[in-house]
Amino acid sequence: MNTAQLSWDITEMAKPNAFAHPSLRDYLDPANGPCGSLLAPAFQLEFADYDELTARGDVDGAPIVLPVNTERQADSLRSIRATHAMGLIVAVTNDLTGHSTYFAIRSGANFVVNIAISIERQAELLRAQLLDHVRSARDNRRPPRDVMTARRAPDLPRSRNLVPARDVRRSAPPTLDDFDTRLLRMLRTSMTVAEIARQNYLSERSMYRRIRNLYDTMGVHSRAELVRSASRDDAPAPRTMYRSLPAS
């Protein structure tokens, strides 16, 4: 899934708001800012200072973009994280040493945009993260469903020499976007989760969430099971529905 498709999907799903600190106005300017492609056009961007972000109730659950180039800014991010525990917080740094990135992740940022690195690659990764966040927020807003009425299974033949056997035919393989396809390849190597997170400019917490979502999509419960599934993808599936038993 390309960046344009991700933007369209986010817009169609929710048309959500996003908030950013006023000091990032020049960076996030859609016309000529170095980070202008990160949120536009899928999000309606509003600028708010730390006090507003702490006090306003409509910020809950929305993406928040904050600068982190000093420890003081990292402390401010930590305060915002304490107020909006479930929000998606994106830190923007200009970091050649790695210190600001470390401060941001330690303070609770889900994602770090380092403008010292190619913005195109980071924009692609961030849009995938934003889409994942919007989908999660949408699912959380759904009302709990009552106990579903089970569909009545078709009647089985009444012959005494036939008993039902499990249908072991497999469904079609799941469709993965570009990010999950790359993540799947990385998980099938010896890379640690920390190494995968650093390569994708994500915190380990966010990467573990993405990995859990990938497990759910693939229908597995562990990394080892995910690796083993690679050899099963091309294996033919038996199609037996019933097995015969000797008549008594």
Side-chain angles (χ1 to χ4, degrees), residues 146-194:
D146 295 331
V147 177
M148 296 180 63
T149 303
R151 294 181 179 179
R152 182 180 179 183
D155 293 336
L156 295 174
R158 296 181 179 275
S159 173
R160 296 181 60 188
N161 66 337
L162 290 177
V163 296
R166 184 179 61 179
D167 183 0
V168 292
R169 290 179 294 181
R170 295 186 299 163
S171 59
T175 301
L176 303 179
D177 59 26
D178 291 344
F179 183 91
D180 283 341
T181 300
R182 287 193 300 271
L183 177 57
L184 181 60
R185 287 199 299 266
M186 292 179 183
L187 288 170
R188 286 172 173 168
T189 71
S190 60
M191 294 177 67
T192 65
V193 173

Side-chain angles (χ1 to χ4, degrees), residues 171-219:
S171 59
T175 301
L176 303 179
D177 59 26
D178 291 344
F179 183 91
D180 283 341
T181 300
R182 287 193 300 271
L183 177 57
L184 181 60
R185 287 199 299 266
M186 292 179 183
L187 288 170
R188 286 172 173 168
T189 71
S190 60
M191 294 177 67
T192 65
V193 173
E195 291 170 339
I196 295 173
R198 283 196 298 270
Q199 184 164 330
N200 289 281
Y201 309 107
L202 290 172
S203 67
E204 288 189 44
R205 179 174 60 181
S206 295
M207 182 54 67
Y208 274 114
R209 186 173 68 245
R210 290 303 301 254
I211 291 173
R212 286 195 299 271
N213 291 341
L214 180 60
Y215 287 171
D216 291 342
T217 300
M218 299 296 295

Side-chain angles (χ1 to χ4, degrees), residues 46-85:
E46 183 175 344
F47 293 94
D49 60 25
Y50 295 117
D51 291 338
E52 289 181 287
L53 291 172
T54 301
R56 291 177 52 169
D58 60 344
V59 179
D60 285 339
I64 304 172
V65 188
L66 299 173
V68 178
N69 290 299
T70 66
E71 288 196 59
R72 182 176 179 179
Q73 290 176 331
D75 289 338
S76 297
L77 187 151
R78 185 180 294 109
S79 176
I80 299 299
R81 168 58 72 196
T83 304
H84 303 291

Side-chain angles (χ1 to χ4, degrees), residues 2 12 21 32 39 44 51 71 75 79 90 107 110 115 118 146 148 160 164 172 181 227-229 238 240 246:
N2 58 33
E12 288 298 310
H21 191 269
N32 52 18
L39 298 172
Q44 180 66 40
D51 291 338
E71 288 196 59
D75 289 338
S79 176
V90 179
S107 300
N110 300 98
I115 62 175
S118 168
D146 295 331
M148 296 180 63
R160 296 181 60 188
T181 300
V227 172
R228 289 196 299 269
S229 71
T240 303

